[in-house]
Amino acid sequence: KQEVTQIPAALSVPEGENLVLNCSFTDSAIYNLQWFRQDPGKGLTSLLLIQSSQREQTSGRLNASLDKSSGRSTLYIAASQPGDSATYLCAVRDTGANSKLTFGKGITLSVRP
Amino acid sequence: AAGVIQSPRHLIKEKRETATLKCYPIPRHDTVYWYQQGPGQDPQFLISFYEKMQSDKGSIPDRFSAQQFSDYHSELNMSSLELGDSALYFCASSSIGPRPGDTQYFGPGTRLTVL
């Protein structure tokens, strides 16, 4: 059974800092990995999707990397801003007939002005 | 661009009542997924449909049922509601069937509160 872990559960940084959010998964046989952002009580906004054959994806100040063999992904946020404060969830999609996403519990980021 | 629409956005029910949540996928998307996110928890997969047929099933209680209609919208029916059913229910849709490569686009969610 796939398990996705995100540590730490919370992170507080000063504005302008570059930061890395980590995600690990137990079964490396995945089709893709997706990073989401969730504001309190709100929906899920997809940030980046990395196919299993890819090593990284970039969108603006965000860069996500994937090391499938070691079961790890990182989300790099450059020059963090208070507006980046939210919970960031990592989700993996397994191989096989199962089409669901398995989520981590998320990292709650607070960027201090 | 059109997004996934969920209704209602908020719902308050009493224990043992029933509830129906609706999901309207992005136009031309053929697959719908339902997820449940309890307070402080990660989203858990419930069930999915592809071309109006159930394609996958997760941790969905027997008290819940769902279907996808000919216009591709989906409804999640919840009976004998329990306090523990209070959660945010997300619907997601994708465009190329339940093959693993596609991106799932999430709706804003329906917040269900059971009193």
Side-chain angles (χ1 to χ4, degrees), chain B residues 5-114:
Chain B
I5 297 172
Q6 291 187 246
S7 68
R9 295 293 308 277
H10 301 273
L11 190 58
I12 299 175
K13 291 286 185 178
E14 300 278 344
K15 282 197 312 183
R16 293 180 288 278
E17 287 190 321
T18 61
T20 297
L21 279 54
K22 298 184 179 182
C23 169
Y24 298 86
I26 292 172
R28 290 180 294 281
H29 280 195
D30 50 23
T31 306
V32 167
Y33 312 80
W34 287 96
Y35 293 84
Q36 176 192 56
Q37 185 178 29
Q41 300 297 313
D42 50 302
Q44 295 289 320
F45 172 73
L46 293 177
I47 195 167
S48 63
F49 293 88
Y50 168 61
E51 286 291 345
K52 293 151 279 184
M53 299 287 290
Q54 181 182 308
S55 62
D56 193 12
K57 191 172 181 180
S59 52
I60 184 170
D62 292 340
R63 300 177 288 108
F64 295 6
S65 65
Q67 58 181 324
Q68 185 179 33
F69 294 86
S70 57
D71 64 351
Y72 295 103
H73 94 273
S74 177
E75 294 183 4
L76 178 65
N77 299 294
M78 311 159 70
S79 64
S80 302
L81 287 169
E82 302 173 356
L83 297 178
D85 296 329
S86 296
L88 195 53
Y89 290 83
F90 289 110
C91 170
S93 73
S94 63
S95 65
I96 53 173
R99 294 197 301 273
D102 56 299
T103 298
Q104 295 182 20
Y105 296 87
F106 281 76
T110 293
R111 181 167 297 283
L112 172 67
T113 302
V114 181

Side-chain angles (χ1 to χ4, degrees), chain A residues 45-108:
Chain A
T45 300
S46 179
L47 298 174
L48 290 165
L49 180 145
I50 310 177
Q51 302 290 357
S52 62
S53 58
Q54 298 175 324
R55 295 301 298 263
E56 66 178 316
Q57 283 287 328
T58 298
S59 176
R61 294 184 294 110
L62 305 179
N63 175 278
S65 67
L66 173 64
D67 184 343
K68 197 173 70 164
S69 61
S70 67
R72 294 180 182 179
S73 175
T74 62
L75 178 67
Y76 175 83
I77 302 176
S80 59
Q81 304 169 0
D84 294 330
S85 298
T87 296
Y88 292 82
L89 294 104
C90 164
V92 300
R93 193 157 190 202
D94 295 336
T95 58
N98 198 337
S99 61
K100 69 178 183 183
L101 290 176
T102 301
F103 285 83
K105 294 194 181 301
I107 298 174
T108 298

